[in-house]
Structures are given as C-alpha cells and as structure tokens.
Amino acid sequence: MSTELKVKQVLASVLNLGERVNRLDASTPLLGAIPELDSMAVVSVLTALEEKFNFAIEDDEVDGRTFATLGNLVAFVEAKLAA
C-alpha cells in the first residue's frame, strides 16, 4: 500500500471524510479547503500519523506548508520515514 493511500486513510478516519477521501489527489488543497481540517484536527491528524507510521513529529517540523496539499503531507511523511 502506498504512502499516499495510507495518509488518505488517516485523513478519512480522523476527519470523517467518508467517500470524499476518494476525490483527494496530490494536488488537492487541505488546510483552508477541507472544513473539517481545523487547528484541533491538525493535531489529531499528526497524532494519527505518528501512530500509523511509528515516528515522532516535533512541533518545529510542521508549518502551514505541511498541510497545503495532500502531496505536501505525503512528502512530509515520506521524509520522516526516510530519516
């Protein structure tokens, strides 16, 4: 299973996106475009990613660009996995 698919599963689960998750691709805007993705949801998504991929995310590693698009979020996860 690809990293993108796993990240989409996390987003679907945390944000309760249902079938809408199937319309997300790498260029899909996240922060500011998905109403469910507010500041509290960002924390929940990060925690879920830590659990799913078994890594730790430091506060200074995340900024607005991380959640700009699905592709950015996937790239962030892949960079964490490669570290």
Side-chain angles (χ1 to χ4, degrees):
M1 181 180 303
S2 72
T3 303
E4 182 176 314
L5 185 55
K6 290 178 185 176
V7 170
K8 285 171 68 171
Q9 288 177 336
V10 168
L11 290 172
S13 174
V14 172
L15 303 177
N16 297 313
L17 295 178
E19 292 300 314
R20 289 187 296 154
V21 74
N22 296 325
R23 295 192 301 258
L24 302 180
D25 63 27
S27 64
T28 302
L30 298 179
L31 200 56
I34 297 177
E36 296 88 348
L37 190 60
D38 59 15
S39 59
M40 290 304 295
V42 166
V43 173
S44 296
V45 168
L46 291 173
T47 301
L49 290 171
E50 287 177 321
E51 292 171 2
K52 177 89 172 174
F53 292 100
N54 197 31
F55 55 60
I57 301 171
E58 301 299 324
D59 292 340
D60 63 351
E61 292 180 290
V62 179
D63 60 28
R65 293 176 300 227
T66 306
F67 283 87
T69 65
L70 176 62
N72 285 26
L73 186 57
V74 170
F76 172 79
V77 169
E78 288 175 339
K80 290 295 292 178
L81 291 171

